Amino acid sequence: MLRSYLKIAWKVLMRRKFFTFISLFGVSFTLMILLVVMAIFDHAVGAAAPLKRVDRMLFVNTMRHQMADGHGWMSNPVSAHFVDDYVRKMKTPEKVGVTTVSSNATAFTKSKLLPLDLAYTDGDFWQIMDYEFLGGRAFTGAEVTQAQHVCVINEATARAYFGTTDVVGRAIEIDLKRYRVAGVVRNVSAAQIYAYADVWVPYTLNPQYTKDSRLNGEFLVVLLAPSVAAVPAVSAEYQQMMKRVPIPQPKEVKAIYSYADPIVPGVTRAVFSTNDPSLHNDNLTKFYALVGGLALLFMLLPVLNLVNLNVTRILERSGEIGVRKAFGAAGSDLVGQFLVENLVLALVGGLLGLGLAAGALALVNEAHPVAYAHFSLSWSVFGWGMVLTLVFGLMSGVYPAWKMSRLNPVAALRGSGEQK
């Protein structure tokens, strides 16, 4: 039966080529947009080097001070003092690493000025992240403690400064300071804000970071849980730890807030904080509901267009439907046949959409809108594309199939399209 439905579906699609083209264009173009957005999102927050273990990671982005007497809020990353005195003393994390958001730095080659993005990190940061080393190694915790002038550079910096990536042990001068290259890593996308930089150096080389005794500072904290199941325990211990942190300047500061979140909740907590400045709720459910609603709304227009086209096609095929009903075909048979036709159309459109999305991402990659970013369709994005394709097919096929099943056989044979 299914084989017969598939043959009928294919012949119906070939019979009205212009109708098929319009339908496929609507399905494939909509899916292309959705898949490109999903691929970019997956690139930024998905499990890819150097954040291969992102499902075990929690991130501390800010320390928020609620000022007394309604004087508003102050929000900044945390300080090295706060990390050393409180976060590193937690029992549940396997590792606690820190990094700054990359800042501008400059190096001079023989022929030109070389702008760089430089980040300060510690030794544990390199044990949490999974950078791909082209040569050498990361600097160690001991080198950080001793404030040695070592650095790790990315492939692009090595080629621009030295002309090769075989530079381990050589000296590089950045902002008039000399560093010994300990290792060279493959370029990391600037979309991965916790891992991106051109050059990484020990944070102890900046006296401003080590002497700062405030809670607010310049560091993003990355905590590695021993397992995925232990992530909630690490987050809960961080909250318990925050209750023991004394409020600085109690006359001016009413309360302090900071949270350790997985990567996506960390973003949603900050984005949707307008109505809840204390950020108790990470608003992840609200984020997914909003994204899902927007996706459905975006799909709704082509779906309605397909429904309209399919209903028109039903009326044109009323004679065929009338004959099938006259020979005993049940309404469920006709519904199954029409849904199969629609799913075939949606699957063909979905495959075209995947091809168009791959082409669009290739064009985006050539344009280099984000440094070192390479957007691609992962298996997870491909799977979601197939799910969206099936949803697309069902959404656009249920009503026309139900309408087909209710056609009056006598009226259908007359071609009037009258329903029961």
Side-chain angles (χ1 to χ4, degrees):
M1 183 67 75
L2 180 60
R3 189 175 179 182
S4 300
Y5 286 169
L6 291 174
K7 286 183 177 178
I8 293 172
W10 183 252
K11 289 182 178 179
V12 169
L13 294 180
M14 291 297 99
R15 187 191 307 164
R16 299 289 303 275
K17 291 185 174 59
F18 182 72
F19 162 80
T20 303
F21 169 76
I22 295 296
S23 302
L24 289 178
F25 178 80
V27 174
S28 58
F29 186 78
T30 303
L31 282 173
M32 179 194 73
I33 300 296
L34 292 173
L35 290 176
V36 167
V37 173
M38 289 172 62
I40 294 174
F41 180 78
D42 184 64
H43 173 82
V45 303
L51 284 85
K52 288 183 179 178
R53 295 177 286 181
V54 70
D55 57 345
R56 291 172 51 192
M57 295 180 186
L58 293 105
F59 303 88
V60 179
N61 298 320
T62 59
M63 172 78 72
R64 295 174 64 85
H65 288 54
Q66 184 180 12
M67 310 306 291
D69 301 326
H71 289 165
W73 294 77
M74 183 175 66
S75 180
N76 292 98
V78 299
S79 66
H81 153 69
F82 169 75
V83 176
D84 290 339
D85 286 8
Y86 297 100
V87 185
R88 292 193 194 282
K89 294 179 180 177
M90 291 172 59
K91 296 179 179 178
T92 52
E94 183 176 310
K95 296 287 181 183
V96 177
V98 296
T99 181
T100 60
V101 175
S102 58
S103 56
N104 296 332
T106 304
F108 293 93
T109 64
K110 293 180 180 178
S111 57
K112 62 180 181 180
L113 180 148
L114 180 62
L116 298 171
D117 289 324
L118 183 146
Y120 292 87
T121 68
D122 65 350
D124 283 352
F125 174 82
W126 297 98
Q127 298 181 35
I128 295 174
M129 300 291 181
D130 291 293
Y131 286 88
E132 183 179 351
F133 276 81
L134 301 178
R137 58 171 177 79
F139 45 80
T140 64
E143 289 171 322
V144 174
T145 303
Q146 297 165 12
Q148 294 190 20
H149 282 251
V150 293
C151 70
V152 173
I153 61 177
N154 67 358
E155 179 182 1
T157 302
R159 293 191 184 282
Y161 193 89
F162 298 102
T164 175
T165 59
D166 187 17
V167 297
V168 175
R170 297 174 66 177
I172 181 172
E173 188 169 294
I174 302 171
D175 286 344
L176 302 180
K177 298 176 183 174
R178 291 175 65 84
Y179 301 92
R180 175 173 52 83
V181 177
V184 180
V185 297
R186 197 169 291 285
N187 298 330
V188 175
S189 168
Q192 296 174 303
I193 59 173
Y194 298 103
Y196 164 73
D198 293 313
V199 181
W200 296 264
V201 300
Y203 78 94
T204 47
L205 291 176
N206 190 330
Q208 176 186 343
Y209 296 154
T210 55
K211 294 179 180 178
D212 192 352
S213 60
R214 299 171 302 170
L215 297 179
N216 284 344
E218 303 289 340
F219 291 98
L220 305 174
V221 185
V222 186
L223 299 96
L224 181 68
S227 66
V228 176
V231 167
V234 176
S235 180
E237 187 188 2
Y238 187 87
Q239 287 310 295
Q240 292 300 318
M241 178 273 294
M242 281 300 302
K243 294 178 181 177
R244 299 193 297 272
V245 178
I247 297 176
Q249 301 174 317
K251 293 183 179 179
E252 300 178 5
V253 179
K254 181 179 179 181
I256 55 176
Y257 301 92
S258 182
Y259 298 86
D261 292 313
I263 190 166
V264 177
V267 175
T268 57
R269 189 188 293 278
V271 171
F272 297 103
S273 64
T274 305
N275 297 324
D276 182 17
S278 64
L279 303 178
H280 285 306
N281 186 351
D282 64 18
N283 287 299
L284 186 62
T285 304
K286 183 179 180 180
F287 169 74
Y288 282 130
L290 180 63
V291 171
L294 288 175
L296 286 175
L297 191 64
F298 184 68
M299 293 170 63
L300 191 59
L301 189 61
V303 164
L304 291 176
N305 185 43
L306 270 181
V307 169
N308 188 44
L309 288 172
N310 286 336
V311 170
T312 303
R313 189 174 57 166
I314 287 174
L315 297 179
E316 292 180 350
R317 296 170 64 188
S318 59
E320 170 196 337
I321 296 168
V323 170
R324 291 201 60 192
K325 283 206 164 187
F327 279 89
S332 59
D333 296 330
L334 295 171
V335 169
Q337 174 190 336
F338 202 76
L339 283 179
V340 168
E341 290 180 14
N342 239 53
L343 286 175
V344 168
L345 179 68
L347 285 173
V348 174
L351 292 175
L352 288 175
L354 285 171
L356 290 174
L361 290 173
L363 292 175
V364 172
N365 289 331
E366 286 188 9
H368 299 295
V370 179
Y372 313 130
H374 183 81
F375 303 107
S376 60
L377 294 172
S378 65
W379 284 110
S380 62
V381 173
F382 180 83
W384 277 109
M386 287 294 99
V387 171
L388 287 174
T389 299
L390 292 175
V391 171
F392 213 108
L394 290 174
M395 286 176 65
S396 60
V398 169
Y399 175 70
W402 174 79
K403 192 174 181 65
M404 171 189 278
S405 69
R406 291 179 56 81
L407 283 178
N408 186 303
V410 177
L413 287 170
R414 292 174 180 169
S416 66
E418 179 184 340
Q419 295 183 10
K420 291 179 181 178

